[in-house]
Amino acid sequence: MKRELLADLVEKREEGRAKQDQALLGEVRTQLLSLLAEYPVDAEINYQIGIAHDNSSLGKEAIPYYESALRLGLSGADRERCLMGLGSTYRYWGQYDKAVETLRLGRQEFPDNRAIQVFLAMALYNSNSYKESVELLIQNLMETTSDEKLHYFKRGILAYNEDLDETAES
């Protein structure tokens, strides 16, 4: 029963997100909070409430639910998205150290997730780690682009990316 209700609410949340229907998203948040009252230590419900808040432009309110979901043992694809959501939300609210820490964990656990890496690059930029930020962005660009001109210069670009500060005189 709980899983069926949760699946229905997730479907409604996705519909609300796609349509940017704030009334539907508000309804889903209310129903998820009621479900959480019955199952307060359910990681997936906490996670879905976090997303519902994020989808409603209530990111600051999403943070404790994301944190609870992770603390309660959220796993798999939900954990991957939760780490990204929490990290990007921390970044948006100026909590750059927490953002970098969370997104580094996400990158470590889910190394193939390019979105986590790009959010990490943004958080690194906000943390004044400009060099690491640019290196990460260049690496992701070069590993994913289909641009022929970039491919032509790929070896050189990646070599320069090893040390962006190096010059012929250094």
Side-chain angles (χ1 to χ4, degrees), residues 6-118:
L6 185 58
D8 182 54
L9 290 173
V10 168
E11 190 175 311
K12 283 182 182 178
R13 180 189 51 72
E14 284 295 324
E15 178 185 342
R17 178 187 163 276
K19 295 178 179 178
Q20 287 300 295
D21 183 336
Q22 293 303 314
L24 180 56
L25 288 168
E27 178 185 316
V28 169
R29 280 194 324 274
T30 299
Q31 291 175 332
L32 283 167
L33 288 167
S34 293
L35 193 58
L36 183 65
E38 291 180 55
Y39 305 98
V41 294
D42 188 293
E44 188 177 357
I45 295 171
N46 276 277
Y47 163 64
Q48 290 299 334
I49 294 172
I51 294 176
H53 279 82
D54 251 351
N55 291 165
S56 303
S57 300
L58 300 169
K60 197 168 194 176
E61 291 85 351
I63 290 173
Y65 296 105
Y66 284 146
E67 291 172 338
S68 290
L70 293 170
R71 192 171 45 255
L72 292 168
L74 193 66
S75 62
D78 287 344
R79 180 175 176 82
E80 181 176 8
R81 184 163 175 211
C82 188
L83 287 166
M84 184 173 58
L86 179 59
S88 66
T89 301
Y90 279 147
R91 190 203 70 78
Y92 179 77
W93 287 98
Q95 299 178 37
Y96 303 133
D97 290 342
K98 286 183 177 182
V100 168
E101 179 183 344
T102 301
L103 293 164
R104 280 194 197 282
L105 178 61
R107 182 180 183 202
Q108 177 185 339
E109 292 184 21
F110 304 99
D112 296 330
N113 185 316
R114 299 284 182 185
I116 287 175
Q117 293 183 47
V118 171

Side-chain angles (χ1 to χ4, degrees), residues 132-144:
E132 187 179 357
S133 173
V134 171
E135 287 171 347
L136 187 56
L137 288 174
I138 290 172
Q139 175 188 356
N140 274 277
L141 172 65
M142 296 311 296
E143 290 176 1
T144 60

